[in-house]
Amino acid sequence: MKEYLVEIISKSLQQFELEEVPEIKIEEPNQPEHGDASANIAMMLAKLLRNNPRAIAQQIVDGLKFDEKKVSAVEIAGPGFINFRFAEEYLFDSLSQILNSGEAYGQTDSNKGKRVLIEFVSANPTGPLTVGHGRNAVLGDTVARLLEWTGAEVEREYYFNDAGRQMRVLGESVRARYLELLGKEAEFPEGGYEGEYIRDIAQALVDEKGEDLVEAEDEKPFKEKAEEEIFADISGTLERMKIKMDSFFNEHSLYEEGKIEETIEKLRKKDLVYDKDGAVWFKTTEFGKEKDTVLVKSTGEPTYRLPDIAYHANKLDRGFDLCIDVFGADHIATYPDVLNGIKSLGYDPEKVDVVVYQFVTLVKDGKPFKMSTRKANFVTLDDLMDEVGADVTRFFFLMRSPNTHLEFDIAQAKEAGEKNPVFYLQYAHARISSILRKVTEEYNFSGSADLSVLDHESEIKLIKTMLKFPETVLSAARSREPHHVVNFLNELASAFTSFYHDCRILGEDEKLAQARMELAKATAQVLRNGLGILGITAPEQM
């Protein structure tokens, strides 16, 4: 409907012979009595046309040519808002469309033909995924789902590095525990990994190899075993959260293929890289920063910006139309260097989008909450899912804007009632499923339903609420903010509750009962579709 309203307004605006027309925005009025949709275009044109906005609005309305089967009335309100009321025939046709579309309702083709790479999680294989990785993982996967619903071809990628000091220390940590388990003398490395998972990996090596590795020349076999075991653990955790990666990219391959040196040389030729104090510097002052930035330390170790620039060049070389990175708030000050780097290499930085999220705090009764864990001084995602379940974990990570700090309330998450927001939505779907089963048992409907008998205020409101779903999905995909879908589902569940309270199905005459059953069936479908985008189950009974 928004597209239709924009179209008819655009045609009416032709009377003004404008060289450039401002964007026509269609919004839902704050007060339902003002109509179903509203446009403020008249006020936006007031200065340009040097006229009173109400007078401009009247001219626009006078020039409107609309289908009365879609729009029943157009009114001017306040300083010049143009308000539209939807025709009942449009509402009933749309309800039929929801029922006919089924699982596809809410899908659009706005991003059809676009190839998108979303890189998220990207934790090095040095330990299990923690709660700190959880919001990243769920946000990245849900943004991918949203883009798929808008027609994009999406690839989920996990970027990691199995080389460098971290991995060397990991291997040395496993070797120390391996030797200890065999009763041998061992020195634990400084800054080593002390979690119980290290001992588990060492025990697996003892079981497989016995004492064969006691005289190993270096930490390599221990590091390889650790990487294998930890990646298996990470993959299991992601699978438990309904996340499946399409590709894994090893940072180390950039070094092996000479891409790191190639990146430095390209930037050097553009006079954006220089040597100083034994280090290699990037002239970030050329892009407005107060200081230049180190790309390679005097020790010869690159800072993460350098491989990240090379990695993003690789992404774009693979032909993706859009590359999305999901980063924690600690990257806010640093990712612009990467964007400036790829721009300097001749790539379009507009093809890279960065989704930044704030961090998560576990709380209970308003206080920081620490769950006991056997895997060191952190809470793993598996620990959290063991505590509250996978559905609740996903939902709580998504129910706030990524830009806001998230307090994950354990007590609320464990609540098996309406205080738990995901339980509220799942219960709404289960209740509808129960109603539909009872209606099927009581009635023997024949022929198609006459939806025009739906004239109660709660019925009409429920239909109008469902019609917001496609636009909600599209908006959430564009903004990379899945919480808009959460907010919509809460509104839908609330509208259904009002309908269920005001309008009986069982006990009504067959014609009305059938129409209301179809309305309930459509509501269940939209709830399922929305929960599916969030990666959450829609149970038929609870």
Side-chain angles (χ1 to χ4, degrees):
M1 177 60 87
K2 280 191 176 183
E3 291 179 359
Y4 175 72
L5 296 179
V6 169
E7 180 185 344
I8 62 174
I9 291 172
S10 296
K11 288 181 179 178
S12 180
L13 290 179
Q14 291 175 6
Q15 64 183 292
F16 299 107
E17 298 182 350
L18 299 168
E19 290 185 9
E20 187 175 344
V21 179
E23 181 184 358
I24 301 170
K25 294 183 179 180
I26 308 295
E27 305 287 347
E28 182 182 356
N30 292 328
Q31 298 176 333
E33 59 267 25
H34 289 170
D36 301 309
S38 181
N40 67 348
I41 185 65
M43 288 173 282
M44 296 177 69
L45 290 172
K47 186 175 180 180
L48 183 65
L49 296 177
R50 298 179 182 179
N51 199 355
N52 181 287
R54 279 190 69 94
I56 296 171
Q58 189 62 60
Q59 286 179 270
I60 295 171
V61 171
D62 290 343
L64 287 177
K65 295 180 180 179
F66 57 86
D67 185 346
E68 292 184 356
K69 292 181 179 180
K70 291 184 176 181
V71 177
S72 63
V74 183
E75 302 156 0
I76 299 171
F81 289 102
I82 301 174
N83 294 338
F84 299 86
R85 297 185 187 277
F86 300 159
E88 285 190 349
E89 188 170 347
Y90 163 72
L91 297 178
F92 300 141
D93 286 346
S94 298
L95 178 56
S96 294
Q97 181 188 350
I98 294 171
L99 291 162
N100 292 332
S101 299
E103 293 180 359
Y105 180 66
Q107 294 180 7
T108 64
D109 59 3
S110 60
N111 283 310
K112 188 175 181 180
K114 182 178 285 188
R115 293 184 63 227
V116 181
L117 180 71
I118 301 186
E119 182 242 316
F120 61 106
V121 186
S122 298
N124 287 341
T126 56
L129 294 181
T130 68
V131 170
H133 300 118
R135 195 175 195 185
N136 183 309
V138 175
L139 179 59
D141 180 63
T142 310
V143 168
R145 290 167 184 256
L146 283 165
L147 287 166
E148 287 168 339
W149 270 67
T150 61
E153 179 187 336
V154 181
E155 184 171 325
R156 296 160 173 81
E157 184 155 281
Y158 190 123
Y159 174 75
F160 70 99
N161 185 13
D162 65 355
R165 181 183 176 279
Q166 277 188 333
M167 295 300 293
R168 185 173 67 253
V169 171
L170 176 70
E172 291 171 350
S173 302
V174 173
R175 172 156 62 178
R177 296 303 186 218
Y178 168 81
L179 293 173
E180 286 176 5
L181 289 170
L182 291 173
K184 311 290 184 181
E185 187 175 336
E187 182 179 348
F188 200 76
E190 183 179 350
Y193 294 87
E194 299 184 18
E196 188 65 24
Y197 69 99
I198 297 295
R199 192 174 295 275
D200 292 342
I201 296 168
Q203 184 62 60
L205 276 173
V206 169
D207 295 342
E208 290 176 19
K209 303 289 186 180
E211 297 191 5
D212 291 354
L213 299 177
V214 170
E215 301 297 331
E217 295 181 2
D218 54 33
E219 79 286 344
K220 184 178 178 181
F222 304 96
K223 186 189 79 168
E224 290 176 348
K225 181 63 175 177
E227 181 181 345
E228 175 190 333
E229 293 285 332
I230 291 170
F231 254 133
D233 184 75
I234 288 172
S235 297
T237 302
L238 292 176
E239 184 177 345
R240 191 175 173 187
M241 299 191 79
K242 300 175 188 170
I243 298 173
K244 189 178 188 315
M245 291 294 175
D246 299 302
S247 55
F248 290 82
F249 190 98
N250 191 339
E251 178 185 317
H252 193 56
S253 67
L254 296 169
Y255 294 86
E256 293 175 334
E257 296 170 9
K259 296 299 181 182
I260 300 298
E261 282 301 319
E262 183 181 312
T263 299
I264 292 175
E265 289 310 308
K266 285 182 178 179
L267 291 173
R268 199 183 290 277
K269 285 179 181 178
K270 294 179 178 291
D271 196 29
L272 290 171
V273 160
Y274 64 92
D275 301 317
K276 179 183 175 183
D277 299 329
V280 178
W281 295 74
F282 185 27
K283 288 185 181 179
T284 45
T285 49
E286 295 282 329
F287 310 105
K289 291 189 74 171
E290 291 184 6
K291 297 180 180 179
D292 289 337
T293 304
V294 174
L295 285 182
V296 182
K297 300 175 186 177
S298 57
T299 59
E301 180 185 0
T303 62
Y304 90 91
R305 289 174 180 82
L306 178 55
D308 263 21
I309 293 170
Y311 172 46
H312 282 78
N314 175 281
K315 290 180 182 181
L316 294 169
D317 284 341
R318 282 185 267 162
F320 289 101
D321 301 299
L322 177 65
C323 299
I324 298 176
D325 302 327
V326 181
F327 287 152
D330 54 338
H331 284 71
I332 287 177
T334 52
Y335 75 77
D337 294 341
V338 176
L339 296 181
N340 286 325
I342 60 170
K343 182 179 181 181
S344 301
L345 293 174
Y347 296 96
D348 182 1
E350 294 297 317
K351 288 188 173 184
V352 178
D353 189 17
V354 179
V355 178
V356 175
Y357 64 92
Q358 299 296 322
F359 295 110
V360 181
T361 302
L362 294 178
V363 297
K364 189 174 185 180
D365 301 323
K367 299 176 183 178
F369 178 67
K370 293 184 178 180
M371 293 190 299
S372 60
T373 171
R374 69 182 192 89
K375 293 190 173 183
N377 190 29
F378 51 76
V379 178
T380 71
L381 266 180
D382 282 314
D383 293 329
L384 185 59
M385 286 188 281
D386 288 344
E387 190 85 4
V388 303
D391 277 347
V392 174
T393 298
R394 278 194 73 116
F395 186 88
F396 271 59
F397 280 137
L398 294 171
M399 67 182 187
R400 298 282 182 268
S401 166
N403 298 319
T404 61
H405 177 77
L406 177 64
E407 288 195 347
F408 195 118
D409 191 319
I410 297 296
Q412 184 186 27
K414 295 180 73 172
E415 177 79 29
E418 291 195 359
K419 289 182 180 179
N420 184 328
V422 67
F423 182 91
Y424 175 68
L425 296 178
Q426 291 180 317
Y427 180 72
H429 184 271
R431 182 164 61 177
I432 297 172
S433 299
S434 174
I435 293 167
L436 293 176
R437 287 193 294 270
K438 291 176 181 177
V439 171
T440 303
E441 291 171 3
E442 182 167 327
Y443 294 92
N444 185 22
F445 298 125
S446 60
S448 58
D450 179 6
L451 300 178
S452 67
V453 300
L454 300 171
D455 58 5
H456 191 282
E457 180 183 352
S458 293
E459 295 167 335
I460 299 301
K461 182 180 178 182
L462 183 53
I463 296 171
K464 288 179 179 178
T465 301
M466 284 189 278
L467 296 186
K468 300 176 188 178
F469 183 57
E471 179 62 32
T472 299
V473 174
L474 189 58
S475 175
R478 285 172 177 162
S479 64
R480 327 292 189 224
E481 295 180 320
H483 72 283
H484 293 306
V485 176
V486 174
N487 295 340
F488 164 80
L489 292 175
N490 285 326
E491 183 183 355
L492 179 59
S494 177
F496 177 79
T497 299
S498 297
F499 157 74
Y500 184 64
H501 178 267
D502 297 338
C503 305
R504 293 186 310 170
I505 301 179
L506 295 169
E508 292 288 357
D509 69 80
E510 189 168 300
K511 187 175 183 180
L512 183 56
Q514 185 178 13
R516 286 180 173 171
M517 183 190 76
E518 293 300 300
L519 180 57
K521 191 185 296 183
T523 306
Q525 184 65 67
V526 179
L527 277 170
R528 272 197 304 280
N529 291 0
L531 289 169
I533 290 173
L534 302 179
I536 295 167
T537 57
E540 295 194 358
Q541 54 187 15
M542 293 180 74

